[in-house]
Structure formats: C-alpha cells, structure tokens
Amino acid sequence: MALVPLPLGSAMIELRPGDVLYITAACSVQFTKSMMFRLIKVRHDLVTYDQWIWLDGYQLDAKGEAVARREIFVLRAGLMLQRRTAPAPVTQRRSRSPQRR
C-alpha cells in the first residue's frame, strides 16, 4: 500500500529531522521535476520571505537512498509529508547480575 502525501500548508505540523518530504513545483518553480527529500534540519538562521523556509537534507532516489545533499528554499504550503519520522526506540537497561566464578 502506497503512502498518500500529507499537505503541510494548512496545518502547522512541525517538521522533524528524518521526515521524508515530497517536493514538487508547488514548493517552488525550480522543482518542475518532483523529488523525495529527507530532512536534516530547518534552517531558522537564514532570513526568508513570509511562508518560505530553508531546508537542509538529502535528495532520495526511487529506493529511498540518499543521492545528494541539498539545501533548498521552498514555500511551506507546497510541502507534502510522505513519511513521518519514527519515534526513537525506548531502550531498557538490563540489570547485570554478578558473574559467577
């Protein structure tokens, strides 16, 4: 079953590192050919126009493998969330029993 991209424009969903975004011409005219993009971080340190953001991440191929590191300038309303970052696994500490001799 294929995932349906979730548009982010109307909802103020916070982007998280590891999220996979579907980038199309709705994000910017420079993306006439769409691509999948795995987010490293949102660049809050760069000044932008209202509703535009800088994203740092990796362009992905059809297998989901990173093929190029990219920094892109996009219209937030055009972003579509393809896959949400999985929550970090909770690790349980195992108690160590004394070693027998």
Side-chain angles (χ1 to χ4, degrees):
M1 179 168 79
L3 295 173
V4 177
L6 170 69
L8 296 176
S10 57
M12 289 308 295
I13 296 172
E14 184 178 340
L15 296 172
R16 298 186 301 212
D19 286 348
V20 176
L21 304 169
Y22 188 54
I23 307 295
T24 66
C27 296
S28 173
V29 295
Q30 66 181 319
F31 300 110
T32 55
K33 184 177 177 187
S34 61
M35 72 169 173
M36 299 302 288
F37 186 82
R38 185 176 336 121
L39 183 67
I40 295 173
K41 66 179 175 179
V42 176
R43 298 286 311 266
H44 296 290
D45 58 323
L46 299 174
V47 178
T48 66
Y49 295 104
D50 192 32
Q51 302 300 314
W52 289 79
I53 55 176
W54 280 98
L55 302 177
D56 189 12
Y58 293 101
Q59 181 176 346
L60 305 178
D61 64 12
K63 296 178 188 176
E65 300 292 322
V67 293
R69 175 113 184 226
R70 306 265 314 253
E71 193 171 79
I72 60 176
F73 186 57
V74 294
L75 182 61
R76 182 174 168 77
L79 292 174
M80 293 175 51
L81 184 62
Q82 183 69 26
R83 185 173 60 239
R84 189 51 134 169
T85 304
V90 177
T91 57
Q92 295 180 352
R93 292 183 64 130
R94 294 175 51 187
S95 62
R96 296 185 80 188
S97 57
Q99 292 183 359
R100 294 183 185 198
R101 296 183 187 201

